[in-house]
């Protein structure tokens, strides 16, 4: 709004003819009305005349001098604008250089990474092939299942061992002459051995019982039976020992007057503490066996190990590929930055060129307005002459009175050359954008091709 208001007075001032060049001033200066009446009294110009009268030519000549100075100023402004626009025109940029440098760096980096990339891919493929062969040989149609961390499972086993140790220590301490300390030492050894036997029975017994090969399955059965027998002997021994401690302490076990059958009599256990100790040991052993079976690895022997090896090899390849991709992208990113900087330079030059053209257009519009005002003053003065002449003459007015008078100076399109320079610069900028985009697309295609070639490995 402020800009528009600021330009309005200047535009109005520019549209006014120079002092002494208005229709009234020309009439006063050249005596147009007097000459029109004098010519009308003689019926001049004749009704068949085609050329301007002396009075009309005098008006054109009077305005022509000032119009010539304005036209000279317009020509000077035109030349100055074209000279400035040529100076500010965007300089051609080399968009192939950064792309060529990036291609060379890309090939160099790909060649340097090819060996390590191929080795990582080969290890991942071998590990995956070994896993597939293992699954096929062992008739496995499921994914491996194992905990991501064994710390929790180890903590659960430790909690089971501590629970059994604490409970057993209280049972042994009742009749152990060494007291709670002696009962605790015995309970810790018992719980540790019980948990160890349970874990081994699950890990090298139950797991190998489901192996597809008969010899390994038989070995697993033997191991499970042996470890189960050892655990049974351990817990029966502990329960019997608890009864012996009670007997040595002189305690009598009160069974009441119940003469019914007790299953515990088959185990020759008399005290409830011994029976509780036996049940506690059996429960902890079963818990440890289940943890050994599936708490630390896949239930099928060696399946978890093979799956982890394949997964680790794949992750190693993925990490290496990501790092290598960043190295391959580095020259492409550098080329992108160089191309963007050159394109931005051309945009800035074109913007400065556009601003210079706008300034020249404003100046030229002011000069054009002065030229139009002079032409209008001349036309008004000629019209005043013709009107006065037509009103007083007795013969018909010549036909050319109905046509506009000629302009005092030629009509100029002063900014045509400047506009052509702007159009050429705009086309050059558009072509530069196309070249930059094509160079980047080519680099990205070569980057993808190099990555695909490295994934495939060396061709023989």
């Amino acid at each position: 709004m402020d800009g528009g208001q600021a330009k309005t007075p200047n535009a109005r001032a520019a549209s006014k003819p120079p002092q002494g060049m208005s229709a009234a001033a020309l009439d006063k200066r050249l005596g147009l009305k007097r000459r029109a009446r004098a010519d009308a009294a003689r019926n001049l110009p004749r009704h068949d005349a085609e050329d301007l009268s002396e009075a009309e030519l005098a008006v054109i000549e009077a305005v022509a001098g000032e119009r010539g100075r304005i036209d000279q100023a317009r020509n000077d402004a035109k030349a100055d604008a074209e000279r400035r626009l040529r100076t500010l025109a965007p300089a051609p940029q080399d968009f192939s250089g950064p792309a060529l440098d990036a291609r060379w760096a890309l090939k160099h980096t790909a060649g340097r990474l090819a060996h390590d990339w191929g080795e990582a891919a080969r290890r991942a493929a071998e590990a995956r092939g070994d896993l597939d062969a293992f699954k096929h040989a062992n008739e496995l149609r499921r994914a491996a299942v194992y905990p991501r961390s064994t710390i929790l499972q180890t903590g659960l086993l430790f909690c089971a061992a501590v629970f059994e140790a604490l409970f057993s220590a209280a049972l042994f301490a009742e009749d152990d002459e060494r007291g709670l300390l002696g009962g605790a030492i015995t309970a810790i050894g018992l719980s540790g051995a019980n948990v160890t036997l349970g874990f081994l029975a699950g890990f090298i017994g139950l797991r190998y019982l489901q192996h597809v090969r008969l010899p390994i399955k038989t070995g697993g059965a033997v191991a499970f039976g042996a470890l189960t027998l050892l655990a049974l002997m351990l817990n029966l021994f502990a329960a019997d020992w608890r009864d012996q401690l009670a007997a040595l302490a002189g305690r009598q076990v009160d069974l009441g007057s119940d003469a019914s059958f007790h299953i515990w009599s088959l185990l020759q256990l008399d005290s409830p503490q011994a029976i509780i100790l036996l049940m506690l040991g059996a429960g902890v052993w079963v818990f440890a066996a289940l943890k050994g079976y599936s708490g630390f690895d896949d239930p099928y022997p060696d399946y978890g190990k093979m799956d982890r090896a394949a997964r680790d090899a794949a992750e190693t390849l993925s990490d290496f590929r990501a790092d290598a991709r960043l190295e391959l992208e580095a020259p492409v990113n550098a080329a992108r930055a160089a191309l963007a900087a050159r394109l931005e330079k051309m945009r800035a030059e074109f913007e400065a060129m556009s601003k210079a053209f706008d300034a020249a257009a404003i100046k030229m519009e002011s000069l054009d307005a002065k030229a139009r005002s002079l032409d209008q003053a001349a036309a008004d003065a000629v019209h005043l002459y013709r009107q006065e002449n037509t009103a007083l003459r007795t013969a018909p007015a010549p036909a050319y009175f109905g046509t506009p008078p000629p302009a005092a100076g030629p009509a100029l399109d002063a900014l045509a050359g400047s506009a052509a320079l702007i159009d050429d610069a705009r086309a050059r900028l558009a072509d530069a954008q196309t070249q930059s985009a094509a160079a980047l697309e080519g680099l990205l295609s070569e980057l993808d091709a190099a990555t695909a070639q490295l994934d495939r490995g060396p061709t023989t």
Side-chain angles (χ1 to χ4, degrees):
M1 296 296 293
D2 293 339
Q5 293 175 356
K7 291 180 180 180
T8 300
N10 294 334
R12 290 178 178 175
S15 63
K16 293 181 179 181
Q19 187 175 4
M21 290 296 170
S22 63
L26 289 173
D27 176 37
K28 183 177 180 182
R29 176 180 171 183
L30 299 176
L32 294 178
K33 291 183 178 180
R34 177 180 58 77
R35 297 177 66 172
R37 287 193 293 270
D39 290 342
R42 295 179 294 167
N43 288 323
L44 294 177
R46 297 175 56 85
H47 71 279
D48 56 352
E50 296 180 356
D51 297 330
L52 299 179
S53 65
E54 293 181 359
E56 293 172 313
L57 291 175
V59 171
I60 301 300
E61 291 175 359
V63 175
E66 185 63 27
R67 177 63 189 274
R69 285 189 291 272
I70 294 177
D71 289 340
Q72 182 61 40
R74 294 169 80 237
N75 289 328
D76 293 342
K78 170 188 174 182
D80 182 68
E82 292 179 357
R83 182 171 55 254
R84 180 166 177 77
L85 290 179
R86 288 190 181 94
T87 303
L88 296 175
Q93 298 292 328
D94 179 18
F95 291 97
S96 61
L100 291 175
D101 294 341
R103 288 188 179 94
W104 181 88
L106 182 62
K107 292 180 179 179
H108 176 74
T109 305
R112 179 170 53 82
L113 295 173
H115 176 73
D116 293 339
W117 194 314
E119 287 297 313
R122 181 184 59 79
R123 287 192 295 268
E126 287 181 354
R128 187 65 197 178
D130 293 341
L131 177 63
D132 293 339
F134 179 85
K135 292 174 66 175
H136 179 74
N138 293 274
E139 300 178 359
L140 294 170
R141 296 179 178 83
R142 61 174 179 83
V145 179
Y146 47 84
R148 292 185 177 273
S149 174
T150 58
I151 296 177
L152 177 60
Q153 308 301 323
T154 303
L156 292 176
L157 280 181
F158 179 76
C159 290
V162 170
F163 174 75
E164 183 183 7
L166 291 175
F167 207 96
S168 300
L171 296 178
F172 279 109
E174 292 180 356
D175 297 312
D176 196 323
E177 61 182 5
R178 294 172 299 177
L180 183 59
L181 179 60
I185 293 174
T186 303
I188 291 173
L190 175 63
S191 64
N194 198 33
V195 169
T196 301
L197 290 173
F199 175 79
L200 292 177
F203 192 78
I204 64 176
L206 289 176
R207 293 173 74 243
Y208 285 87
L209 273 173
Q210 58 178 329
H211 203 280
V212 70
R213 296 181 181 178
L214 184 60
I216 298 178
K217 181 181 292 187
T218 303
V222 171
F224 180 73
L227 291 168
T228 302
L229 180 60
L230 286 176
L232 180 61
M233 292 172 59
L234 174 67
N235 285 281
L236 287 174
F237 172 75
D240 184 65
W241 188 9
R242 178 63 185 77
D243 270 351
Q244 292 181 18
L245 288 177
L248 290 175
R251 296 179 57 188
Q252 298 294 326
V253 180
D254 185 11
L255 298 179
S257 59
D258 187 4
S260 61
F261 173 77
H262 293 277
I263 191 172
W264 312 113
S265 62
L266 297 177
L267 302 176
Q268 297 181 353
L269 299 178
D270 297 327
S271 65
Q273 290 86 346
I275 297 172
I276 294 173
L277 188 64
L278 177 62
M279 297 299 295
L280 178 62
V284 171
W285 180 85
V286 171
F287 179 79
L290 291 176
K291 287 299 175 183
Y293 173 70
S294 62
F296 287 82
D297 206 346
D298 188 87
Y300 195 87
D302 295 331
Y303 189 22
K305 178 178 66 176
M306 299 292 291
D307 184 76
R308 284 192 296 274
R311 184 192 64 185
D312 293 343
E315 290 180 354
T316 300
L317 174 61
S318 179
D319 293 340
F320 180 86
R321 190 180 187 279
D323 295 338
R325 176 77 181 194
L326 290 178
E327 290 190 41
L328 291 173
E329 290 176 355
V332 178
N333 292 333
R336 180 187 291 112
L339 293 174
R342 297 182 184 190
L343 194 59
E344 185 61 29
K345 181 176 182 296
M346 292 189 68
R347 288 197 183 100
E349 292 172 344
F350 179 76
E351 183 67 22
M353 191 178 181
S354 298
K355 291 181 179 178
F357 179 82
D358 293 340
I362 294 174
K363 181 177 181 181
M364 192 62 66
E365 177 61 26
S366 175
L367 294 173
D368 288 344
K370 291 180 179 180
R372 287 192 298 271
S373 65
L374 284 175
D375 291 340
Q376 185 63 42
D380 292 344
V382 170
H383 178 70
L384 178 63
Y385 167 83
R386 293 176 178 178
Q387 185 179 23
E388 189 72 17
N389 182 276
T390 302
L392 297 177
R393 66 186 297 146
T394 57
Y400 78 85
F401 269 25
T403 61
L412 297 178
D413 187 5
L415 292 181
S418 299
L421 292 175
I422 287 290
D423 292 339
D424 180 68
R426 185 180 291 107
R428 191 181 304 170
L429 179 60
D431 183 63
Q433 292 174 338
T434 302
Q435 292 182 30
S436 177
L440 285 178
E441 289 178 1
L443 287 177
L444 291 177
S445 298
E446 293 195 17
L447 174 63
D448 293 338
T451 304
Q453 178 62 38
L454 290 173
D455 283 332
R456 289 192 299 268
T459 57
T460 56

